Amino acid sequence: MNVGFIGLGIMGTPMAGHLIDAGHTLFLHDVVKVPAELTAKGATACASSAEVAKSADVIILMVPDTPHVDEALFGANGVAEGLSAGKIVVDMSSISPVATKGFAEKINALGCDYLDAPVSGGDVGAKAASLTIMVGGPEGAFETVKPLFEKMGKNITLVGGNGDGQTTKVANQIIVALTIEAVGEALLFASKAGADPAKVRQALMGGFANSRILEVHGERMVKRNFAPGFRIELHQKDLNLALSSARALGLSLPNTATAQELFNSVAAHGGGKLDHSGMVKALELLGNHTVAPDA
């Protein structure tokens, strides 16, 4: 396919790379320079999102937040200006489910289909092409784009209509945040009690407490590696979506709120750009103890 890709950060670059490697023709745009590693593979760098949309049949967005999607789609020289009937716009960012429905209506009015397809798996999953992809939108468009999704991820599910993919991603981020908090508390407890947290983590991975977060982020906590795969400031954004949506629905999400406050604490101490496993730093501050010595 002729595929457009807008947003080439730590997630977008490897995702676009997999599509190029699979033989698709890529047209790329980013607010920063398009990575040379992608153009070296034969992809075309475009001057604007509109140029991408004119050149591609499927246009994928992978940008940080709701306002960035709005600007990429409907701002000056945005995707909407380059669309013609029959094209498909796919937003793989993690943004507001409510705003997503509005974006879909505007794109539909131009004669094009819209899929919201946020992902889970972080930079590790993006590089390994093992992302979980949660999709909202029409089934026909989903089936057309599915071969592209299969080059970027493993667990690919059409959840429902537009907005349902983003709702699923918000639910995912609630579970991830609360599990990071649980792993952090457990390893902090073990360390304070005098046990080796690395060996405790290894033992727990063989039991019912095992999880991908214990495996990956537990190791980050022990090895003190908080270089970002997924930044705290982005997880804060996702939990803001969860909490604001819960208020609108009349729901209480008490532990989600607690996890957000822990992220807020780390960010207040200058850690907003750390990996979200760095939430443990807030717990360490509260307990006046670290899981392991900093390198």
Side-chain angles (χ1 to χ4, degrees):
M1 299 183 196
N2 289 335
V3 181
F5 209 110
I6 299 165
L8 299 160
I10 60 174
M11 297 286 288
T13 293
M15 291 165 68
H18 294 313
L19 297 179
I20 298 169
D21 292 341
H24 298 288
T25 301
L26 270 286
F27 298 90
L28 311 174
H29 178 67
D30 193 90
V31 293
V32 187
K33 186 178 179 181
V34 170
E37 66 188 85
L38 298 179
T39 54
K41 290 182 176 183
T44 300
C46 297
S48 68
S49 297
E51 184 180 334
V52 170
K54 288 176 184 176
S55 304
D57 300 312
V58 175
I59 301 96
I60 297 172
L61 287 79
M62 189 62 176
V63 297
D65 203 350
T66 306
H68 303 100
V69 175
D70 194 3
E71 178 66 20
L73 290 176
F74 307 112
N77 295 311
V79 168
E81 294 184 15
L83 288 177
S84 54
K87 296 191 176 189
I88 303 173
V89 175
V90 184
D91 178 28
M92 302 188 77
S93 319
S94 296
I95 69 166
S96 164
V98 175
T100 290
K101 293 178 182 180
F103 296 160
E105 289 175 2
K106 290 181 180 180
I107 295 299
N108 293 159
L110 298 173
C112 300
D113 283 323
Y114 190 95
L115 297 174
D116 49 293
V119 304
S120 179
D123 66 321
V124 174
K127 291 172 183 175
S130 61
L131 294 168
T132 291
I133 305 176
M134 313 152 229
V135 189
E139 186 172 359
F142 171 75
E143 292 299 333
T144 298
V145 178
K146 190 175 180 182
L148 300 180
F149 291 149
E150 289 172 341
K151 298 303 178 183
M152 298 181 283
K154 298 296 184 187
N155 182 23
I156 302 157
T157 306
L158 178 62
V159 181
N162 284 128
D164 290 346
Q166 295 294 354
T167 295
T168 305
K169 178 57 187 290
V170 171
N172 178 86
Q173 295 303 81
I174 292 171
I175 293 171
V176 170
L178 269 59
T179 309
I180 290 173
E181 197 277 339
V183 169
E185 281 198 15
L187 293 181
L188 185 64
F189 166 77
S191 176
K192 182 68 173 180
D196 181 340
K199 292 182 178 178
V200 170
R201 170 184 161 274
Q202 190 64 43
L204 294 175
M205 284 171 58
F208 201 51
N210 190 28
S211 70
R212 183 69 173 152
I213 289 171
L214 177 64
E215 178 186 350
V216 175
H217 291 336
E219 182 177 47
R220 282 178 171 270
M221 294 173 192
V222 170
K223 293 187 175 179
R224 315 308 287 170
N225 173 21
F226 300 116
F230 187 76
R231 300 190 303 276
I232 281 175
E233 62 190 8
L234 293 178
H235 211 143
Q236 287 178 291
K237 176 260 296 184
D238 291 340
L239 294 192
N240 281 340
L241 292 174
L243 294 169
S244 61
S245 298
R247 280 195 301 273
L249 293 169
L251 285 176
S252 173
L253 300 178
N255 291 324
T256 301
T258 298
Q260 181 71 308
E261 289 302 327
L262 292 170
F263 280 140
N264 291 346
S265 175
V266 179
H269 286 83
K273 296 190 182 302
L274 296 178
D275 184 79
H276 56 170
S277 58
M279 180 200 281
V280 73
K281 285 181 169 287
L283 297 169
E284 291 171 341
L285 186 66
L286 288 169
N288 194 28
H289 183 79
T290 58
V291 169
D294 285 319

